[in-house]
């Protein structure tokens, strides 16, 4: 190992495995050796809540408090909500979750595309197709030219403005490579097919392995959006069973303290997640909430997003089919509803791992972001004829929703939901604590309504078929009328930008 310009370089995978974790950067956030994922507390609260059917009056009181304050709920309240099975009470909770989502995020859903950069990996996660030693996986690291070809499809043909860049964990694709891919993604522009207008990626979120503070500063400086790290399972014994001790990922404390290091490095949009199906779903929801509490306690900022990946089949492993903790679609929806009530201000992401019916149901259960036209094979977008092609030997797991972005946009428009391509918040410095307050008061939701309309207009004009444009026009009209009613004095300014967008200006935002 050597240190260059403040970050460390490793000579090979073994060197990385032995030296990557920085123990002081774990200990700092576990004072007295006590972990904020308090296993005893989770079990105690769940046991208490499970000992008798939940009292509907208490459930309603918790729901009303979440609706009124939009603050993260205490663990005991979350444990109570998790026990509700009565269909009528569940429906009340769902309606409240949907109302909170509307108050905070309005009627918009933000869209993005996953873009897999690399699959070499030093770890051995038993459920993942990328794990080291899986000979069925073809290993590949995108070159910057290949990345530009991928963006030509993702931004130039499909019309996405934001990606989640995904990486295996390997010294060859660590911080320097991640930073280079982010820079390349921002710098590359292409031409929209219908108008020839400039198209490109405006926000790069990252899903990668936990990093030390110095490396996170490097990513901050190149303009990373959200840094996502899924905990997989918060239940330590299960975590240790699924992630071998010889691997970097086998260190539970390094992973759980990652977002504390992010905040310290100035990366204040962080994305939590648990991989549902590995352990008891109620335990995972409780732990996600405790994780949010600890970030709020240390930094006054909770998670920008929470993701809800669910186990899918993957090459060379039977864990996704044989785990005793697999959940059904109704339970999945309950997880979303309870999380929306428990962490009311957070963005909630449901990916193409879910089948279309399940994702459609999540649209009214608190979800705020989804991907579409996704291809998660390495170089999948530009190598394949159809974006829906899947290649088990080149991807981490299989996808269940292969709908195109255009199909999803039209489906959502039919339900009165506007698709947002907005990336303004991040570029205006509305991240971390700044955005938390705006979200809790509902200010951000209204503000973003305008940016959603402008970016939706761009996408319709640049990428959509005439049928889709016609299907979505009434929704745009309705949104503009809503803005007029809500902000009569500001409306002429909005219309000036809207008309400029109709006339070919791009990337106008408030
Ligand atoms: N390699 C890095 C890591 O593990 O931290 C980056 C993330 S990995 C490429 C993306 C995520 O995919 C994992 O965190 C995990 O939650 C999810 N994943 C892995 N195997 C999966 C499977 N079989 N089904 C669904 N999701 C899976
Ligand atoms: Fe590697 Fe991430 Fe897959 Fe684990 S989940 S094997 S760390 S790519």
């Amino acid at each position: 190992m050597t240190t260059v310009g403040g970050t460390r370089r490793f000579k090979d995978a073994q060197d990385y495995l032995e030296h990557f974790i920085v123990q002081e950067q774990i200990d700092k956030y576990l004072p007295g050796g006590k972990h904020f994922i308090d296993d005893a507390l989770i079990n105690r609260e769940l046991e208490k809540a499970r000992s008798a059917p939940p009292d509907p009056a208490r459930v309603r009181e918790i729901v009303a408090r979440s609706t009124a304050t939009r603050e993260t709920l205490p663990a005991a309240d979350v444990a109570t909500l998790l026990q509700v099975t009565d269909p009528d009470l569940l429906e009340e909770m769902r309606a409240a979750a949907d109302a909170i989502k509307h108050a905070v995020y309005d009627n918009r859903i933000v869209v993005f595309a996953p873009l897999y950069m690399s699959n070499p990996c030093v770890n051995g996660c038993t459920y993942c197709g990328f794990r080291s030693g899986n000979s069925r996986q073809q290993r590949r690291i995108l070159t910057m030219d290949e990345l530009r070809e991928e963006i030509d499809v993702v931004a130039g043909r499909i019309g996405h403005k934001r990606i989640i860049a995904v990486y295996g964990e390997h010294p060859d694709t660590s911080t320097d490579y991640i930073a280079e891919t982010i820079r390349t993604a921002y710098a590359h522009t292409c031409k929209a097919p219908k108008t020839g207008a400039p198209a490109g990626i405006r926000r790069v979120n990252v899903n990668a392995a936990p990093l030390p503070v110095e490396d996170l500063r490097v990513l901050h400086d190149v303009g990373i959006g959200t840094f996502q790290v899924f905990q997989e399972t918060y239940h330590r014994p299960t975590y240790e069973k699924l992630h071998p001790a010889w691997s970097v990922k086998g260190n539970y404390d390094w992973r759980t303290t990652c977002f504390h290091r992010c905040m310290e490095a100035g990366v204040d949009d962080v994305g939590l997640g648990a991989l549902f199906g590995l352990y008891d779903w109620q335990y995972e929801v409780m732990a996600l909430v405790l994780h949010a509490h600890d970030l709020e306690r240390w930094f006054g900022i909770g998670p920008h997003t929470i993701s809800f990946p669910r186990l899918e089949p993957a090459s060379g492993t039977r864990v996704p089919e044989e785990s005793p903790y697999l959940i059904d679609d109704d339970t999945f929806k309950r997880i979303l509803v309870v999380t929306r009530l428990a962490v009311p201000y957070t963005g909630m992401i449901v990916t193409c791992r879910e089948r279309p019916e399940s994702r459609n149901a999540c649209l009214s259960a608190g979800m705020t972001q989804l991907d579409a036209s996704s291809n998660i094979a390495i170089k999948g977008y530009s190598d394949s004829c159809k974006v829906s092609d899947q290649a088990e030997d080149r991807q981490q797991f299989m996808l269940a929703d292969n709908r195109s972005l255009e199909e999803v946009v039209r489906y959502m428009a039919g339900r009165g939901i506007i698709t947002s391509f907005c990336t303004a918040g991040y570029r205006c410095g509305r991240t971390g604590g700044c955005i938390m307050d705006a979200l809790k008061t509902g200010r951000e939701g209204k503000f973003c309504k305008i940016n959603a309309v402008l970016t939706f207009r761009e996408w319709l004009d640049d990428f959509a078929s005439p049928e889709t444009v016609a299907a979505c026009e009434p929704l745009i009209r309705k949104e503009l009328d809503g803005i007029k009613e809500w902000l009569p004095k500001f409306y002429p300014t909005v219309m000036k930008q809207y008309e400029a967008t109709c006339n070919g200006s791009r990337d106008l935002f408030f």
Side-chain angles (χ1 to χ4, degrees), residues 308-330:
F308 301 84
R310 183 153 51 143
L311 263 186
E312 290 295 323
S315 78
T317 171
R318 296 287 301 160
V319 173
E321 287 83 0
E322 290 170 1
S323 167
Y325 296 103
L326 301 178
I327 52 170
D328 61 20
D329 288 359
D330 284 343

Side-chain angles (χ1 to χ4, degrees), residues 116 118 121 123 125 127-130 166-169 207-210 228-232 249 255 274-275 309-314 317 320 353 396-398:
Y116 273 68
S118 66
C121 191
N123 295 314
C125 315
Y127 45 82
C128 175
F130 288 176
V166 190
Y167 310 77
E169 178 165 15
N207 186 318
Q228 283 186 355
V229 173
F230 302 155
Q231 185 53 35
E232 323 303 10
K249 193 152 164 182
R255 200 164 181 91
L275 181 52
R310 183 153 51 143
L311 263 186
E312 290 295 323
T317 171
R353 292 175 180 86
Q396 200 184 5
F397 49 84
M398 304 309 280

Side-chain angles (χ1 to χ4, degrees), residues 74-125:
D77 291 343
V78 181
T80 300
L81 295 183
L82 286 167
Q83 307 318 313
V84 176
T85 51
D86 173 72
D88 294 338
L89 199 51
L90 270 180
E91 174 50 26
E92 273 182 53
M93 284 167 53
R94 187 212 56 77
D98 193 33
I100 293 173
K101 185 260 164 185
H102 275 80
V104 179
Y105 291 94
D106 216 308
N107 62 334
R108 68 201 151 81
I109 291 284
V110 168
V111 287
F112 66 93
L115 206 166
Y116 273 68
M117 303 286 181
S118 66
N119 62 358
C121 191
V122 295
N123 295 314
C125 315

Side-chain angles (χ1 to χ4, degrees), residues 155-181:
R157 291 224 304 266
I158 303 169
H160 279 294
K161 307 287 182 233
R162 54 168 82 201
I163 55 171
I164 175 87
V166 190
Y167 310 77
E169 178 165 15
H170 194 278
D172 294 346
T173 58
S174 199
T175 306
D176 291 342
Y177 176 77
I178 297 174
E180 195 185 359
T181 54

